Amino acid sequence: MSKKPASVPAPHVHSAAPALSSHGPTIALALGGGGARGLAHIPILEAFDELGIRPKIMAGTSIGAIFAAAYASGLTGRQIRAHTMEVLKNRLDLVRDLYAARVRTTRRIWNMFPASSAFLASERLLDIILPKRIARDFAHLAIPLKIVASDFYAQEPVVLSSGPLRQAIAASIALPVIFEPVLLEGRVLIDGGLVNPLPFDLVSGEADLTVAVDVSGAPVRRPDRERPNVWEALFAANFIFERTIIKEKLRSRQPDVYVDAGTSRYQVLDFLKLEEILAAAEPAKERFKAQLARVMEAETLPTLEAQEAQKELASPQHGARRLLLKRRRIGKA
């Protein structure tokens, strides 16, 4: 199988692609990290449902871990969209809940260097935003899943694929400053995007095809000011780093289908631009459906031809022809 990726970049929108056979090639799906840009994963998951395909295995980093966990738990893309819209549309309730989920500190809010390690506790946030139907443990998932976190002190990736699911997601989304680190089995874990922002390599070879969905971003110059503010600079620096990792990774190893979700212009905390981001990802969704249909057909045809050849060899008529030819050769001798 060629390892040159079938890239899904930007523009022509197709109508719904035909549903593909469940007997076709298997797919490993990796959902990358990117903050609010990761809302674009929802249309891609809907594309799988519309094509009638379920991944054989999944991997997720940061926000990709959240949506991968929901999908691997058995929720459809449409159900994930509805739940996400419900959570983010109730803005006043969300702000109140986020305030309740903050890390407690005795310092005043205007203290530049609070005693706490972060503003929010990621596990408490997940209690607020995750659908109730998400599995509690990796063992209860309908699709096997690998989640990436970063070991703060060992400075290395940690791949979580067993045990409590919620704690693994909390570790993977624990972006420094925003979320406090997660303690797990003696390790201090933070955001997985710092070591593997697009974890397709973790599932490469575990299915016939590997699909990677990239929702990383780049800083966008604002016309109203020359320089970014302190928060923009802080988060943009992190995502410049992650985008560099992805570029270097793709130079040496590539998925079979690479999807650029088309949301790079949005910022990491643009969650209240939900509808805008979902709309921006629609063209990528339609191109992905068409591209995946072509790739699946290309992978299926050789298999069907081999099966037909096997049937031909095993058929009684083929056996009779072979016997007749053998008798003719004997007669000529």
Side-chain angles (χ1 to χ4, degrees):
M1 186 191 304
S2 172
K3 282 296 169 188
K4 186 175 180 181
S7 179
V8 185
H12 188 67
V13 179
H14 300 270
S15 58
L20 300 175
S21 168
S22 59
H23 303 294
T26 56
I27 292 179
L29 174 62
L31 303 182
R37 291 183 289 266
L39 294 167
H41 287 312
I42 296 173
I44 302 302
L45 294 175
E46 290 174 329
F48 275 90
D49 295 335
E50 290 164 15
L51 291 170
I53 302 170
R54 293 293 274 181
K56 179 183 177 184
I57 188 169
M58 299 181 72
T61 293
S62 200
I63 193 167
I66 294 177
F67 290 125
Y71 201 68
S73 293
L75 279 77
T76 65
R78 182 174 292 183
Q79 289 170 334
I80 294 169
R81 177 190 287 257
H83 177 81
T84 304
M85 292 188 79
E86 182 184 352
V87 169
L88 293 180
K89 287 277 186 164
N90 298 327
R91 299 182 185 189
L92 292 177
D93 289 342
L94 180 62
V95 170
R96 184 198 63 218
D97 288 340
L98 288 177
Y99 182 79
R102 76 192 188 285
V103 177
R104 303 295 180 180
T105 174
T106 56
R107 301 293 185 96
R108 294 182 180 273
I109 195 167
W110 54 79
N111 190 326
M112 188 176 293
F113 301 104
S116 175
S117 56
F119 177 62
L120 294 173
S122 54
E123 287 187 72
R124 279 190 236 155
L125 176 67
L126 292 178
D127 289 338
I128 297 166
I129 66 170
L130 287 184
K132 301 300 181 189
R133 286 179 51 195
I134 282 197
R136 289 283 173 179
D137 194 280
F138 280 92
H140 303 147
L141 291 170
I143 300 172
L145 173 63
K146 298 180 181 182
I147 288 178
V148 184
S150 305
D151 187 313
F152 182 78
Y153 290 109
Q155 302 171 50
E156 64 185 13
V158 176
V159 180
L160 305 165
S161 57
S162 63
L165 181 61
R166 210 164 283 235
Q167 198 171 20
I169 301 170
S172 189
I173 70 169
L175 185 66
V177 180
I178 295 295
F179 296 112
E180 68 176 351
V182 172
L183 302 178
L184 183 62
E185 296 179 356
R187 289 184 159 190
V188 177
L189 303 181
I190 58 174
D191 185 36
L194 298 172
V195 287
N196 194 346
L198 189 59
F200 64 87
D201 52 307
L202 299 184
V203 291
S204 180
E206 299 207 30
D208 298 317
L209 296 170
T210 304
V211 175
V213 185
D214 185 2
V215 293
S216 62
V220 176
R221 185 182 295 276
R222 290 184 55 163
D224 57 335
R225 60 172 181 258
E226 291 183 349
R227 291 179 292 186
N229 64 35
V230 63
W231 287 104
E232 288 172 340
L234 176 65
F235 291 121
N238 182 60
F239 286 105
I240 289 171
F241 178 64
E242 291 187 1
R243 201 165 178 84
T244 301
I245 293 176
I246 291 172
K247 285 180 180 177
E248 288 301 315
K249 191 175 182 177
L250 290 172
R251 284 196 181 114
S252 59
R253 188 173 191 174
Q254 297 152 349
D256 297 295
V257 179
Y258 168 81
V259 183
D260 181 343
T263 55
S264 63
R265 66 184 178 275
Y266 295 97
Q267 300 307 303
V268 62
L269 296 180
D270 279 346
F271 286 100
L272 297 183
K273 294 182 180 179
L274 168 66
E275 291 184 356
E276 231 182 280
I277 293 172
L278 292 176
E282 280 298 315
K285 170 190 172 180
E286 296 302 328
R287 288 191 306 275
F288 167 66
K289 285 168 63 177
Q291 182 63 47
L292 186 59
R294 287 195 296 271
V295 173
M296 293 281 282
E297 285 171 11
E299 288 290 319
T300 302
L301 283 174
T303 304
L304 292 175
E305 289 170 0
Q307 288 174 351
E308 288 300 319
Q310 287 292 335
K311 285 179 184 177
E312 177 69 18
L313 288 170
S315 68
Q317 293 87 349
H318 183 81
R321 283 197 299 272
R322 287 180 61 190
L323 181 60
L324 182 61
L325 287 171
K326 184 178 180 181
R327 283 176 178 171
R328 285 177 179 170
R329 283 196 297 269
I330 291 171
K332 287 179 180 178

